[in-house]
Amino acid sequence: MADRYVAQQVGVADGTQVPSARADGRQVGAHRRTILASKVTGVAWAIADRVFLGKKRVGETIVGIRLCTDTSLGTATVDVGNDSTADKYVDGALLTATNVPTALGPKASTLDDGPATEDEEIWATIGVAAIAAATVLTFEIELCGA
């Protein structure tokens, strides 16, 4: 049986570099930061509306996206991405559970990306059906970095 090393430990713990490298502090032993982004009660979100959630800073990686709502979103879908790729982190998520923070992402294809080299705006885009004005919901975006 072979020993394997994750990408963050190659050259650090696997013995391939002498002296060994130090782990990237933006990924191993990183600081965590959270963005809470709550819908303004009384404002409906229509199909194709974009909603600004916050900014990912240089050196950070998104490691969790959760959504909690008091009302089933029914057939409404949610994408989370940046200005150029609407579904970079979450693609067409449905949420029918209520009052339970539910993990929506990020996609595996972004979770293993290196830390950001420039600030990035994070946007949600609503699809398929509108979200009613009375709906209470909050996104929680967890990031890690140095």
Side-chain angles (χ1 to χ4, degrees):
M1 181 176 346
D3 289 340
R4 305 286 182 195
Y5 292 84
V6 296
Q8 291 82 356
Q9 297 298 331
V10 172
V12 176
D14 64 352
T16 59
Q17 280 188 246
V18 178
S20 62
R22 294 185 63 189
D24 184 340
R26 299 171 300 175
Q27 295 181 329
V28 178
H31 296 280
R32 300 254 175 177
R33 181 173 76 91
T34 301
I35 297 170
L36 290 179
S38 300
K39 179 181 162 296
V40 176
T41 305
V43 176
W45 290 349
I47 298 169
D49 278 358
R50 285 187 347 142
V51 181
F52 180 73
L53 302 177
K55 275 192 178 180
K56 180 175 83 167
R57 298 179 193 151
V58 170
E60 291 182 328
T61 301
I62 293 178
V63 296
I65 300 172
R66 287 174 285 286
L67 181 57
C68 188
T69 178
D70 73 337
T71 306
S72 169
L73 300 185
T75 59
T77 61
V78 177
D79 289 344
V80 177
N82 60 20
D83 202 36
S84 61
T85 308
D87 62 354
K88 179 176 180 178
Y89 299 107
V90 175
D91 184 14
L94 291 165
L95 185 61
T96 56
T98 59
N99 297 312
V100 177
T102 303
L104 302 181
K107 293 178 181 178
S109 62
T110 63
L111 191 55
D112 69 346
D113 291 350
T117 57
E118 58 186 42
D119 286 353
E120 177 182 63
E121 292 183 348
I122 306 302
W123 293 85
T125 304
I126 309 308
V128 181
I131 296 176
T135 302
V136 176
L137 65 78
T138 298
F139 289 88
E140 178 188 10
I141 302 171
E142 185 175 10
L143 307 102
C144 72

